Amino acid sequence: MTVDADPLTATFAALADPTRRAILARLTRGEATVGQLAEPFDVSLPAISKHVKVLQKAGLIEQTRRAQWRSCRLRPEPLRDLATWMEQYRDFLGDSLDRLDQYLTDLQKGDRS
């Protein structure tokens, strides 16, 4: 399966890198140029550009051009698709955490008896 053929895989692959997650977090505050996105990182501008291309290919961001500036902005649709996919596991995770909580409570009661 290629990343191009599966948008969910592309989203997970893009989110796997902490720098790309930080770029997305920055874009939640509004549009930014690649230079602005690069400011907090101790990496080269070409390295940030590569991260931006991965995010763009996954559909997580889009670039707009205004005069000589290219701004990046967040596209929420792939994240919504990811959240929808994860929703099917909510009950399972909730039940598992509830069972773990009950187990730990039982252990604590057993230790105090």
Side-chain angles (χ1 to χ4, degrees):
M1 177 184 313
T2 66
V3 171
D4 292 334
D6 181 16
L8 193 58
T9 299
T11 301
F12 273 116
L15 294 174
D17 186 274
T19 301
R20 291 193 287 266
R21 291 192 305 269
I23 290 169
L24 290 177
R26 164 54 186 87
L27 291 174
T28 63
R29 298 190 321 247
E31 292 185 16
T33 65
V34 174
Q36 291 169 327
L37 293 173
E39 287 173 3
F41 302 104
D42 190 25
V43 296
S44 67
L45 194 57
I48 294 298
S49 291
K50 286 182 181 182
H51 285 298
V52 166
K53 286 180 185 177
V54 171
L55 291 167
Q56 199 171 7
K57 190 171 185 178
L60 291 163
I61 66 171
E62 62 185 2
Q63 284 189 315
T64 58
R65 187 177 194 122
R66 292 186 187 133
Q68 73 269 25
W69 302 106
R70 286 188 180 186
S71 291
C72 299
R73 87 171 130 213
L74 187 63
R75 290 191 66 243
E77 295 84 3
L79 294 174
R80 283 189 199 124
D81 294 342
L82 179 64
T84 299
W85 179 83
M86 291 179 67
E87 186 66 31
Q88 66 185 324
Y89 298 101
R90 179 181 292 277
D91 290 340
F92 169 75
L93 291 172
D95 290 346
S96 295
L97 293 174
D98 290 344
R99 286 192 304 270
L100 176 61
D101 184 49
Q102 185 61 50
Y103 175 74
L104 294 174
T105 300
D106 291 347
L107 279 178
Q108 287 176 343
K109 287 179 183 176
D111 289 341
R112 293 183 182 161
S113 301

